[in-house]
Amino acid sequence: MTDQKARIGILGASGYTGGELVRLLLRHPHAEIKALTADRHAGQAMTAVFPQFAGFDLPKLVKIEEIDANALDFVFCGLPHGTTQTVIKNLLAASAKLKIADLSADFRLQDPVMYEKWYGHGHLAPELQAEAVYGLAEIYREQIKKARLVAVPGCFPATSISALVPLLEAGAIDPDSIVIDSKTGMTGAGRAAKENMLFGEVSEGIHAYGVGSHRHTAELDQEFSLAAKRPVTVTFTPHLAPMNRGIYATHYVRLVGKTTVEQLHRVLADFYKNEPFVKVLDIGTVPQSRHVRGSNFIQISVIADRVAGRAIVISTLDNLIKGASGLAVQDMNLMLGFPETEGLMQLALFP
Amino acid sequence: MTDQKARIGILGASGYTGGELVRLLLRHPHAEIKALTADRHAGQAMTAVFPQFAGFDLPKLVKIEEIDANALDFVFCGLPHGTTQTVIKNLLAASAKLKIADLSADFRLQDPVMYEKWYGHGHLAPELQAEAVYGLAEIYREQIKKARLVAVPGCFPATSISALVPLLEAGAIDPDSIVIDSKTGMTGAGRAAKENMLFGEVSEGIHAYGVGSHRHTAELDQEFSLAAKRPVTVTFTPHLAPMNRGIYATHYVRLVGKTTVEQLHRVLADFYKNEPFVKVLDIGTVPQSRHVRGSNFIQISVIADRVAGRAIVISTLDNLIKGASGLAVQDMNLMLGFPETEGLMQLALFP
Amino acid sequence: MTDQKARIGILGASGYTGGELVRLLLRHPHAEIKALTADRHAGQAMTAVFPQFAGFDLPKLVKIEEIDANALDFVFCGLPHGTTQTVIKNLLAASAKLKIADLSADFRLQDPVMYEKWYGHGHLAPELQAEAVYGLAEIYREQIKKARLVAVPGCFPATSISALVPLLEAGAIDPDSIVIDSKTGMTGAGRAAKENMLFGEVSEGIHAYGVGSHRHTAELDQEFSLAAKRPVTVTFTPHLAPMNRGIYATHYVRLVGKTTVEQLHRVLADFYKNEPFVKVLDIGTVPQSRHVRGSNFIQISVIADRVAGRAIVISTLDNLIKGASGLAVQDMNLMLGFPETEGLMQLALFP
Amino acid sequence: MTDQKARIGILGASGYTGGELVRLLLRHPHAEIKALTADRHAGQAMTAVFPQFAGFDLPKLVKIEEIDANALDFVFCGLPHGTTQTVIKNLLAASAKLKIADLSADFRLQDPVMYEKWYGHGHLAPELQAEAVYGLAEIYREQIKKARLVAVPGCFPATSISALVPLLEAGAIDPDSIVIDSKTGMTGAGRAAKENMLFGEVSEGIHAYGVGSHRHTAELDQEFSLAAKRPVTVTFTPHLAPMNRGIYATHYVRLVGKTTVEQLHRVLADFYKNEPFVKVLDIGTVPQSRHVRGSNFIQISVIADRVAGRAIVISTLDNLIKGASGLAVQDMNLMLGFPETEGLMQLALFP
């Protein structure tokens, strides 16, 4: 890559993943933010929606229609699912060189039938759906490097696939009895003004939601099935915890045959031994979501259960970074040929 | 009982369960707080440790040695486990009429071998251990009424036993595959000054602790085994969530044979149909811990899993009230012949 | 009053003050909730908007038009300001016996010119505005007892008027240099779905708002001027703190002449010596908002400043109780001839 | 400047400012952490006290006695006040080339009498006290560049001196009527295990502390007096808000003569027009502490009061960064001749 910076567009810049992309890219040595869209806020300065950018030089917020695909090298798309499909189809049609990382759910499922089942309508760009690469860098790195369109994983799947896919691939755990109990911070729900996400509604308490029906389940099934080489149906219960950031996934698994906890740990440690962003902790060490907060790191741990033949695998990441915008930048680095860690090595902000 | 109020002593009044007992008993029509102990704070006013009692007439904090067992009708014992055994033995020896609700773990386990295994030393009052009644009012009501010594359940067991014991008794769920993922607020850790419970350490994040080794597991095994009429070993993982109060237990269970989720719900609804403090929600309704915060209520819910043959049972209570001090007052009401709900019908404080 | 319970209507029951009124009145021995309105939720059960009332028998939510004024003895009106005026005028016209406590700002200002200035439109019921009594029980008790319509003070004014009016009446502090720096919890902003009140927007940070322009300032000026017997213009800056409940007002005052801090304290202690809900702390004791949380108590404190001739007066209350619904019930008790503390003696929930 | 990295020692690495220094310096291109001390944790890895550093190569924690002053170019000293004086005296005696940024209060006050008055004992290194430069880079930049020992300001003084010193120097505000109402997050209290800093004690509420007596007041007086060129005695009240990070200072000032709010704003805007870390917002714009959280930025704002002749000046920063460790790194950059912003341009983490 030459000294010329990649020209970046961010669609949906007024949401939390949009703000996070701006935060990361403003410090990225090879990227320059050239366009920001936010339909409701078109015409405003970025500081009107994110005052923390006071003093930084950023383009004004515009409508999507104002975007010139040929003036950009890379687009991050942080729009609501559904609308995304047509937008991306049009962008890719307009520019042969453009590459895209999509943060919505629109291109994560490979099977159009599954998409329709979970999202309630047929896919509007099925040929792109087939082309899109699932953007979990540690697993699909080589495909991502060659991709034009990457579907950044959902925050829950990013957390749990990182923890369990190596174990399923190794045949170390039983695919039929996986239980995932996840806890997420509030920013996972996005920035839309909803009564049930007001501070007064969600602080000082915890609760499950989408029990047995959360859409991220489809991604989990898909990737677990690919890893296990047979259909997997997972039990997955997300909970909303009174914190801004963080996903903390507690996985209850059964060991296959005489597999030991030590072997589980070794599978993970080997799988991730050269990965810059994945830290496999010592056996029995319990991670905390706050120790990856504000970073692109993920911590994974294996702990013996007191019940024979079972183990507990815990993984945790920052849902807005390694679970969304940071992972998207990691994908961009791969797709544009930059060093994979560029702009992403900030350490966790704790406390 | 006559108009004369029961004379109450609270041992360990400077801790959170102690403060909560004072809060509840100050509004109890048949109770009068006569003695408060707090060794480190002996000589101080209660407002020195709990300023919210400003303006209320309360005895000074004294040392345990200053307690006259014969001047009291009822004692709540909120001391650390271990020390409790001798204190209670001496109190009961000193007064034939005294009754005691113990909030420590010292008298919860029936089997002295189990006690020694989980707590690391032999029991110092094994004859009282045999006599003590497990104070979960909805399950052991009749025994509690006749008891001299009640062991108030731990906050996690109170939550999960309430949810699963009726199902195990009915043979509706498989005792061998129970997974309990619990989340608790910070007050469950008590009021001791520890670095790892500072605001800066535990806010804005979540983490598991005591994985596979939390002592409350022993109570769960004991009561589940009694209900299932065979040994049960449970998988139980507590998590610390950034909130003051609340336990939220997500139970993953397998249905026995052709048992349906509707049948699970009916078992619970029938079991609790006349209970003033237990609310079994409609099938599929997901409770929130904040909706029982500040009250003696517990909410229980049954939700179908997407995996055939599994269900999710959720229960939630306020760990300091229905999980400790409120339940202890409920026990006292039973033991002293007061109406069971006396002093306990405050509604949840939400938001 | 006979054994017959007062028949209560709550207009605007789906908001936070509405929920709090239900919580308090369900435990009030002389009140029975007969009607609940919530226009957007008409037809739903109260548990649909406040699940903590599961198991309690409450009327369904209806539209205001469905209210029969003659079937009620007392109405709490928790509607947005502006709309309230006509609603109350119609209710009082429909029933000669009805009494009302209004929690909006519509009847708090005596001067129609001031109302128009701060609220941007002329008052629609000026004759009622003249009749309405400012519902700060400790100051206007006798007028409240005789009133048909009481305007419950705003939460900030209730906090600061309680602290400073006795001092201004006594001529102890300079009316021209009062600075009030107030901090409120999030529930003060109500339950409307607004982006700027989402958990992600307001947790982990603090900020001022309405600087120099908050409408509660008009109430402060009015009551301070009445107390000082000359016009007072106050500096008042509210801040939003990341907590649910509580107002914490720090008042910076200059002492008049040779007035001492001890004399300030004595004025307050004397003024409130028989008041059940107001606790004047010892000189120098600093209160905490959490020690009145969940109660109808207010704590007031006087602290010497290091700058000669200045003092700091701090007062704190729970904005939803003593700053709104609890004070409204206290007013109702006075207006209907019940004991003033009935239903209001719950102690603070701490922690 | 050569390619050789500065060899850094951090004394007191297990506290919050220590952890923050490690976080910043691990990403600093010209610094290399060579020594970390933490007496109580000597022999442990840094990840034992700060697990977020998992995977980074850091020296083990050692005792202060093990530090070799000649093997280091720069030392950050984050020890408790009092002990610091002797430690620094010895270090500087041992190495002629060593430079030090001290984060304690030990070298902030110029006047030994004042030091003794506020800290209760005579200074143990008065000659160094005279030599030390007050490390507020925007005000003492040139002196810092030449200094061997810099006293990093307290977090409250850094916030308020930045806001008011330019105004006092310009003679724009009355030095005799300054009222500062500050709010801080919990990390300002450090990491010592104290009951009154437990999550249960400080969440869901707010309170003042150190009213009229906080030691940071001495720094405020000193710097305000220097700016005003006459003695200034300030009213300063800190409050503890339930958040981890952030100081939010609300300053109530009187304008001198016919000074306008626009003029106040211009003084500040001019003073800081070339400063990379100080953002003076448009008149009337109210900052939020969360918009500087996690960054070395400070935001300052001027807002007209409704009372004629008064204004409100608000400033906010992250107490662990611009109020401590970030400012210390900024000082190091100046002292070692690195670009002033090196390692410090991370943007705020919001939400």
Side-chain angles (χ1 to χ4, degrees):
Chain A
M1 192 88 186
T2 71
D3 256 17
Q4 198 151 0
K5 292 186 176 188
R7 298 163 301 167
I8 309 291
I10 300 172
L11 312 190
S14 62
Y16 289 145
T17 53
E20 201 68 1
L21 284 164
V22 171
R23 183 178 73 84
L24 293 168
L25 293 169
L26 275 174
R27 306 295 306 138
H28 194 293
H30 306 309
E32 186 169 7
I33 298 169
K34 287 290 191 184
L36 297 170
T37 82
D39 275 20
R40 276 193 312 128
H41 298 282
Q44 295 184 320
M46 188 65 176
T47 51
V49 296
F50 283 121
Q52 71 265 35
F53 298 124
F56 289 84
D57 198 30
L58 284 169
K60 276 210 168 181
L61 297 168
V62 299
K63 288 183 181 294
I64 289 177
E65 297 79 48
E66 303 176 55
I67 293 293
D68 174 5
N70 288 291
L72 300 173
D73 300 306
F74 199 91
V75 161
F76 293 93
C77 190
L79 302 173
H81 70 81
T83 61
T84 298
Q85 295 157 26
T86 311
V87 168
I88 286 182
K89 190 158 73 172
N90 294 345
L91 284 172
L92 290 177
S95 164
K97 294 186 185 164
L98 190 66
K99 296 185 177 183
I100 297 180
D102 178 32
L103 290 94
S104 85
D106 271 14
F107 295 97
R108 293 177 191 156
L109 299 186
Q110 296 177 341
D111 182 347
V113 176
M114 275 296 143
Y115 182 85
E116 185 160 357
K117 182 190 156 199
W118 284 91
Y119 290 91
H121 60 86
H123 204 284
L124 302 173
E127 68 292 351
L128 287 175
Q129 192 187 14
E131 176 191 337
V133 173
Y134 195 71
L136 201 52
E138 287 79 10
I139 294 181
Y140 294 105
R141 179 171 288 121
E142 295 312 314
Q143 296 95 310
I144 293 167
K145 284 181 183 171
K146 291 174 251 165
R148 183 173 62 146
L149 172 60
V150 157
V152 182
C155 48
F156 287 117
T159 317
S160 290
I161 293 167
S162 298
L164 297 195
V165 155
L167 302 176
L168 286 165
E169 283 186 354
I173 59 170
D174 171 24
D176 290 332
S177 62
I178 297 170
V179 170
I180 305 178
D181 190 288
S182 275
K183 301 87 185 169
T184 181
M186 298 297 164
T187 54
R191 207 181 192 184
K194 294 177 187 163
E195 181 186 296
N196 67 354
M197 294 304 298
L198 295 174
F199 185 94
E201 301 293 311
V202 290
S203 67
E204 260 294 301
I206 193 167
H207 64 283
Y209 69 101
V211 183
S213 64
H214 195 286
R215 283 166 168 172
H216 283 181
T217 314
E219 287 176 60
L220 293 168
D221 280 3
Q222 169 179 290
E223 298 300 314
F224 287 174
S225 300
L226 286 166
K229 298 190 178 59
R230 66 181 183 77
V232 175
T233 308
V234 74
T235 292
F236 167 61
T237 308
H239 298 74
L240 206 51
M243 57 195 198
N244 274 322
R245 289 166 180 255
I247 289 188
Y248 195 89
T250 311
H251 308 82
Y252 298 91
V253 298
R254 282 184 191 277
L255 306 173
V256 167
K258 303 205 164 179
T259 307
T260 64
V261 166
E262 287 70 25
Q263 287 169 322
L264 282 201
H265 183 263
R266 189 160 329 131
V267 169
L268 288 167
D270 285 351
F271 193 95
Y272 291 116
K273 66 174 179 288
N274 296 318
E275 290 296 341
F277 295 121
V278 186
K279 306 295 170 196
V280 178
L281 305 182
D282 293 343
I283 289 186
T285 300
V286 180
Q288 304 194 10
S289 70
R290 52 186 74 77
H291 294 146
V292 293
R293 185 176 66 213
S295 82
N296 198 50
F297 295 100
I298 174 170
Q299 293 194 350
I300 306 180
S301 183
V302 178
I303 305 159
D305 193 10
R306 60 190 291 264
V307 180
R310 292 193 197 167
I312 293 153
V313 182
I314 298 179
S315 54
T316 186
L317 52 70
D318 183 315
N319 57 302
L320 290 182
I321 308 181
K322 186 61 175 163
S325 302
L327 180 51
V329 171
Q330 190 178 349
D331 287 336
M332 178 198 78
N333 286 338
L334 291 169
M335 294 162 83
L336 297 185
F338 302 138
E340 186 170 342
T341 61
E342 203 75 271
L344 293 171
M345 288 300 288
Q346 290 189 10
L347 283 88
L349 196 75
F350 167 79
Chain B
M1 192 88 186
T2 71
D3 254 18
Q4 200 152 357
K5 292 186 175 186
R7 299 164 300 167
I8 309 291
I10 300 173
L11 312 190
S14 63
Y16 291 145
T17 53
E20 201 68 1
L21 284 165
V22 170
R23 184 178 73 85
L24 294 168
L25 293 169
L26 274 174
R27 306 295 306 140
H28 194 294
H30 307 309
E32 187 168 6
I33 298 170
K34 287 292 192 183
L36 297 170
T37 83
D39 274 21
R40 277 193 311 130
H41 297 281
Q44 295 185 321
M46 187 65 177
T47 51
V49 295
F50 284 121
Q52 71 266 34
F53 298 124
F56 288 84
D57 198 31
L58 284 168
K60 277 210 166 178
L61 297 167
V62 298
K63 288 183 180 295
I64 289 178
E65 298 77 49
E66 303 176 56
I67 293 294
D68 175 4
N70 289 288
L72 300 173
D73 300 306
F74 200 92
V75 161
F76 293 93
C77 189
L79 302 172
H81 70 82
T83 60
T84 298
Q85 295 157 26
T86 311
V87 169
I88 287 182
K89 190 158 75 172
N90 293 344
L91 284 172
L92 291 177
S95 164
K97 292 184 184 165
L98 190 67
K99 296 183 176 184
I100 296 180
D102 178 32
L103 289 95
S104 86
D106 272 14
F107 295 97
R108 293 176 191 157
L109 299 185
Q110 294 177 342
D111 182 348
V113 175
M114 276 296 144
Y115 182 86
E116 185 160 356
K117 181 189 157 201
W118 285 90
Y119 290 90
H121 60 87
H123 203 284
L124 302 174
E127 66 293 349
L128 286 175
Q129 192 188 12
E131 176 190 338
V133 173
Y134 195 70
L136 201 52
E138 287 80 9
I139 294 180
Y140 294 105
R141 180 171 287 123
E142 295 312 314
Q143 295 94 310
I144 293 167
K145 283 181 183 171
K146 290 174 252 165
R148 184 174 60 148
L149 172 61
V150 157
V152 181
C155 48
F156 287 117
T159 317
S160 290
I161 294 168
S162 297
L164 297 196
V165 155
L167 302 176
L168 286 165
E169 282 186 354
I173 59 170
D174 171 23
D176 289 333
S177 61
I178 297 169
V179 169
I180 306 179
D181 190 287
S182 274
K183 300 88 184 169
T184 179
M186 299 296 164
T187 54
R191 206 181 192 183
K194 294 178 188 163
E195 181 188 296
N196 67 355
M197 295 304 297
L198 295 175
F199 185 94
E201 302 292 312
V202 290
S203 67
E204 258 298 299
I206 193 167
H207 64 283
Y209 69 101
V211 183
S213 64
H214 194 287
R215 283 165 168 173
H216 283 180
T217 315
E219 286 176 59
L220 293 169
D221 279 4
Q222 170 179 290
E223 298 300 314
F224 288 173
S225 299
L226 286 167
K229 298 193 179 58
R230 66 183 185 77
V232 175
T233 308
V234 73
T235 291
F236 166 62
T237 308
H239 297 73
L240 207 51
M243 57 195 197
N244 275 322
R245 289 167 180 252
I247 289 187
Y248 195 87
T250 311
H251 307 83
Y252 298 91
V253 298
R254 282 184 191 277
L255 306 173
V256 167
K258 306 206 163 178
T259 307
T260 63
V261 167
E262 288 70 24
Q263 286 169 321
L264 282 202
H265 182 263
R266 191 161 327 131
V267 169
L268 287 167
D270 285 352
F271 193 95
Y272 290 116
K273 66 174 180 289
N274 296 316
E275 289 297 341
F277 295 121
V278 187
K279 306 294 170 196
V280 178
L281 304 182
D282 293 344
I283 288 185
T285 300
V286 179
Q288 305 193 8
S289 70
R290 52 185 74 77
H291 294 145
V292 294
R293 184 176 66 212
S295 82
N296 198 51
F297 296 100
I298 174 169
Q299 292 193 351
I300 305 179
S301 182
V302 178
I303 305 160
D305 192 9
R306 61 191 290 265
V307 180
R310 290 192 198 168
I312 293 153
V313 182
I314 298 178
S315 54
T316 186
L317 53 69
D318 182 316
N319 57 303
L320 290 182
I321 307 182
K322 185 62 174 165
S325 301
L327 180 51
V329 171
Q330 190 178 350
D331 287 336
M332 178 197 78
N333 285 338
L334 291 169
M335 294 162 83
L336 296 185
F338 303 139
E340 187 171 341
T341 61
E342 202 75 270
L344 293 170
M345 288 299 288
Q346 292 189 9
L347 283 88
L349 196 74
F350 167 79
Chain C
M1 193 88 186
T2 72
D3 256 17
Q4 197 150 0
K5 291 185 175 187
R7 299 163 302 167
I8 308 290
I10 300 173
L11 312 190
S14 63
Y16 289 146
T17 52
E20 201 67 2
L21 284 164
V22 170
R23 183 179 73 85
L24 293 168
L25 293 170
L26 275 173
R27 306 295 307 138
H28 193 294
H30 308 309
E32 186 168 7
I33 298 170
K34 287 292 191 183
L36 297 170
T37 83
D39 273 22
R40 278 193 311 128
H41 298 282
Q44 295 184 320
M46 188 65 177
T47 51
V49 294
F50 283 121
Q52 72 266 35
F53 297 125
F56 288 84
D57 198 31
L58 284 168
K60 276 210 167 181
L61 296 168
V62 298
K63 288 183 181 294
I64 290 177
E65 297 78 48
E66 303 176 54
I67 292 295
D68 174 4
N70 288 290
L72 299 174
D73 299 307
F74 200 90
V75 160
F76 293 94
C77 189
L79 302 173
H81 71 82
T83 61
T84 298
Q85 294 157 27
T86 311
V87 169
I88 287 182
K89 190 158 75 173
N90 294 345
L91 284 172
L92 291 177
S95 164
K97 291 184 185 165
L98 190 66
K99 295 183 177 184
I100 297 180
D102 178 33
L103 289 95
S104 85
D106 273 13
F107 295 97
R108 293 177 190 156
L109 299 185
Q110 294 177 341
D111 182 347
V113 176
M114 275 297 142
Y115 181 85
E116 185 160 356
K117 181 189 156 200
W118 285 91
Y119 290 90
H121 60 87
H123 204 285
L124 302 174
E127 67 293 350
L128 286 175
Q129 191 188 14
E131 176 191 337
V133 173
Y134 196 70
L136 201 52
E138 288 79 9
I139 294 180
Y140 294 105
R141 178 170 287 122
E142 295 312 313
Q143 295 95 311
I144 292 167
K145 284 181 181 171
K146 289 175 252 165
R148 184 173 61 146
L149 172 60
V150 157
V152 182
C155 48
F156 287 118
T159 316
S160 290
I161 293 168
S162 297
L164 296 195
V165 154
L167 301 176
L168 286 165
E169 282 186 354
I173 59 170
D174 171 23
D176 289 333
S177 61
I178 297 169
V179 170
I180 305 179
D181 190 288
S182 274
K183 300 89 184 170
T184 181
M186 298 296 165
T187 54
R191 207 181 190 183
K194 293 178 187 163
E195 180 186 297
N196 67 355
M197 295 303 298
L198 296 174
F199 186 93
E201 302 292 311
V202 291
S203 67
E204 258 297 301
I206 193 167
H207 64 283
Y209 68 102
V211 183
S213 65
H214 195 287
R215 283 165 169 174
H216 283 181
T217 315
E219 287 176 60
L220 294 168
D221 280 4
Q222 169 180 291
E223 298 300 313
F224 288 174
S225 299
L226 286 167
K229 299 194 178 58
R230 66 183 184 74
V232 175
T233 308
V234 74
T235 292
F236 166 62
T237 307
H239 297 73
L240 206 52
M243 56 193 198
N244 275 323
R245 289 167 180 254
I247 289 187
Y248 195 87
T250 311
H251 307 83
Y252 299 90
V253 299
R254 283 183 190 277
L255 307 173
V256 167
K258 306 206 162 175
T259 307
T260 64
V261 166
E262 287 70 25
Q263 287 169 321
L264 281 202
H265 183 263
R266 191 162 325 132
V267 168
L268 287 167
D270 285 352
F271 194 94
Y272 290 116
K273 67 173 180 288
N274 296 317
E275 289 295 341
F277 295 121
V278 187
K279 304 295 170 196
V280 179
L281 305 182
D282 292 344
I283 289 185
T285 300
V286 179
Q288 305 193 10
S289 70
R290 51 186 73 78
H291 294 146
V292 294
R293 184 176 67 212
S295 82
N296 198 51
F297 296 100
I298 174 170
Q299 292 193 351
I300 306 179
S301 182
V302 178
I303 305 159
D305 192 10
R306 60 190 290 265
V307 180
R310 292 193 197 167
I312 293 153
V313 182
I314 298 178
S315 54
T316 186
L317 52 70
D318 183 315
N319 57 302
L320 290 182
I321 307 182
K322 186 61 176 165
S325 302
L327 180 51
V329 170
Q330 189 178 350
D331 287 336
M332 178 198 78
N333 285 339
L334 290 169
M335 294 163 83
L336 297 185
F338 302 139
E340 186 170 342
T341 61
E342 202 75 271
L344 294 171
M345 288 300 288
Q346 291 189 8
L347 283 88
L349 196 75
F350 167 80
Chain D
M1 185 133 145
T2 74
D3 255 18
Q4 197 149 2
K5 292 186 175 186
R7 300 164 300 167
I8 308 292
I10 299 172
L11 312 190
S14 63
Y16 290 144
T17 53
E20 201 68 2
L21 284 164
V22 171
R23 183 179 73 84
L24 294 168
L25 293 170
L26 274 174
R27 306 295 307 137
H28 194 293
H30 308 309
E32 186 168 7
I33 298 169
K34 287 292 191 184
L36 297 169
T37 82
D39 274 21
R40 277 193 312 128
H41 298 281
Q44 296 185 319
M46 188 65 178
T47 50
V49 296
F50 284 120
Q52 72 265 34
F53 297 125
F56 288 84
D57 199 30
L58 284 169
K60 276 210 168 183
L61 296 168
V62 298
K63 287 184 181 295
I64 289 178
E65 297 79 47
E66 303 177 55
I67 293 294
D68 174 5
N70 288 291
L72 300 174
D73 300 306
F74 199 91
V75 162
F76 293 93
C77 190
L79 302 172
H81 70 83
T83 61
T84 298
Q85 295 157 27
T86 311
V87 168
I88 287 182
K89 190 158 73 173
N90 293 344
L91 284 172
L92 291 177
S95 164
K97 293 184 185 165
L98 190 66
K99 296 185 177 184
I100 297 180
D102 178 32
L103 290 95
S104 86
D106 272 14
F107 295 98
R108 294 177 191 156
L109 299 186
Q110 295 177 341
D111 183 348
V113 176
M114 275 295 144
Y115 182 85
E116 185 160 356
K117 181 191 157 199
W118 284 91
Y119 290 90
H121 59 88
H123 204 285
L124 302 174
E127 67 293 349
L128 287 175
Q129 191 188 14
E131 176 190 336
V133 173
Y134 195 71
L136 201 51
E138 288 79 9
I139 294 181
Y140 294 105
R141 178 170 288 121
E142 295 313 314
Q143 296 95 309
I144 293 167
K145 284 181 183 171
K146 290 174 253 165
R148 184 174 61 146
L149 172 59
V150 157
V152 182
C155 48
F156 288 118
T159 317
S160 290
I161 292 168
S162 297
L164 297 195
V165 155
L167 302 176
L168 286 165
E169 282 186 355
I173 58 170
D174 171 23
D176 290 333
S177 61
I178 296 169
V179 170
I180 305 179
D181 189 288
S182 275
K183 301 88 184 168
T184 181
M186 298 297 164
T187 54
R191 207 181 192 185
K194 293 177 187 163
E195 181 187 295
N196 67 355
M197 295 304 297
L198 295 174
F199 186 94
E201 302 293 310
V202 290
S203 68
E204 260 295 300
I206 194 168
H207 65 282
Y209 69 101
V211 183
S213 64
H214 195 286
R215 282 165 168 172
H216 283 181
T217 314
E219 286 176 61
L220 293 168
D221 279 4
Q222 170 180 290
E223 298 299 315
F224 288 175
S225 298
L226 286 167
K229 298 189 179 61
R230 66 180 182 78
V232 175
T233 308
V234 74
T235 292
F236 167 61
T237 308
H239 297 74
L240 207 51
M243 57 195 198
N244 274 323
R245 288 166 181 255
I247 289 188
Y248 195 88
T250 310
H251 307 84
Y252 299 91
V253 299
R254 283 183 190 275
L255 307 173
V256 166
K258 304 207 163 176
T259 307
T260 63
V261 166
E262 287 70 25
Q263 287 169 322
L264 282 202
H265 183 263
R266 190 162 326 133
V267 168
L268 287 167
D270 285 352
F271 194 95
Y272 290 116
K273 66 173 179 290
N274 296 319
E275 289 296 341
F277 295 121
V278 187
K279 306 295 170 196
V280 178
L281 305 182
D282 293 342
I283 289 185
T285 301
V286 180
Q288 304 193 11
S289 70
R290 51 186 75 77
H291 294 146
V292 293
R293 185 175 67 212
S295 81
N296 198 50
F297 295 100
I298 174 170
Q299 292 194 350
I300 306 179
S301 182
V302 178
I303 305 159
D305 192 10
R306 61 191 290 265
V307 179
R310 292 193 196 167
I312 293 153
V313 182
I314 298 178
S315 54
T316 186
L317 53 70
D318 183 316
N319 57 302
L320 290 182
I321 308 182
K322 185 61 175 165
S325 301
L327 180 51
V329 171
Q330 189 178 349
D331 287 336
M332 179 198 77
N333 286 338
L334 291 170
M335 294 162 83
L336 296 185
F338 304 138
E340 186 170 342
T341 61
E342 203 74 271
L344 294 171
M345 288 301 288
Q346 290 189 9
L347 283 88
L349 196 75
F350 168 79

